[in-house]
Amino acid sequence: AVVIMDAYYPGMNGSNYGGLALPVQPRVRVTDVGGSVPSSLTSLVVAEISGPPSDRENGSKPMIFGTRTAVPDPVTGEASFTDLSLNLKGSYTLSFTYAHLSAESRPFTILTGSIAVLAFLSQPSPSLFAAPLPIQPRVSLMDLGGNRVRGTPWLHVFITPGLGASALLGCAEAYSATDAGEVAFVGCRIEGVTSGPHTLT
């Protein structure tokens, strides 16, 4: 088996991001020992992760997404993948198997992408009017692969009141510490006259 992985020279590594399809997809060619295409190609080529990243975040498992099987062309012997992506940042190699044959890609790197997912790390807790929330909201900032994003992005928080009019005071916005991948709000309190459920967005 001969692997065609021109996308993964070091100069191409900067364009691969967690959760997004690889911009140049791998192709695998199946040949006999003489370099000719076998007359009968009856199996699928299967892609797997063979070299997982060493710098995993939060114990997450590196995973490959998309259609992990491809049919070899009967004329060229090439099996082309179209939508493979990987979730976690780090250095990878992929392995490809066809029946009893196997081949491995060149190493390539997945980088952290832009913010695509927000998730609560700490949900705001019940509180009395005008008193700071005992548990202040804390939000993680992740790319499509589940990697915490870098930089110092800002978040804005808004209240959806339940019954009656209420206002959120003390914490309209906050920003992430450098490369922390999360935003912690401080001093949030709710002013109002009618108790009931409220939602922060």
Side-chain angles (χ1 to χ4, degrees):
V2 179
V3 180
I4 305 171
M5 293 289 286
D6 294 336
Y8 301 133
Y9 288 120
M12 295 293 292
N13 283 342
S15 58
N16 303 316
Y17 294 99
L20 295 177
L22 299 173
V24 181
Q25 294 283 320
R27 293 180 296 134
V28 178
R29 183 169 62 232
V30 181
T31 67
D32 60 21
V33 293
S36 300
V37 177
S39 58
S40 177
L41 295 173
T42 58
S43 298
L44 296 173
V45 176
V46 181
E48 298 284 355
I49 297 173
S50 63
S54 57
D55 52 347
R56 305 182 191 181
E57 290 194 354
N58 306 320
S60 300
K61 180 181 178 181
M63 300 179 68
I64 185 170
F65 297 93
T67 304
R68 296 190 299 107
T69 58
V71 179
D73 184 274
V75 176
T76 65
E78 289 187 5
S80 298
F81 294 85
T82 59
D83 61 352
L84 296 183
S85 64
L86 297 109
N87 58 338
L88 300 183
K89 68 180 181 68
S91 179
Y92 287 85
T93 55
L94 298 181
S95 63
F96 301 89
T97 56
Y98 175 85
H100 64 285
L101 300 174
S102 64
E104 193 165 280
S105 77
R106 298 182 181 94
F108 62 97
T109 300
I110 297 294
L111 300 177
T112 300
S114 57
I115 299 174
V117 179
L118 304 180
F120 274 106
L121 295 171
S122 298
Q123 291 276 356
S125 61
S127 177
L128 299 175
F129 281 132
L133 300 177
I135 298 178
Q136 296 284 319
R138 190 163 60 98
V139 180
S140 67
L141 316 172
M142 296 177 289
D143 67 7
L144 285 173
N147 304 290
R148 291 196 178 190
V149 300
R150 304 309 179 197
T152 56
W154 285 80
L155 285 186
H156 298 268
V157 63
F158 304 93
I159 187 170
T160 302
L163 299 174
S166 297
L168 177 68
L169 301 177
C171 66
E173 59 186 17
Y175 67 92
S176 171
T178 303
D179 296 342
E182 66 178 63
V183 171
F185 289 87
V186 178
C188 295
R189 68 184 192 277
I190 296 174
E191 297 281 3
V193 294
T194 305
S195 62
H198 297 69
T199 302
L200 298 185
T201 303

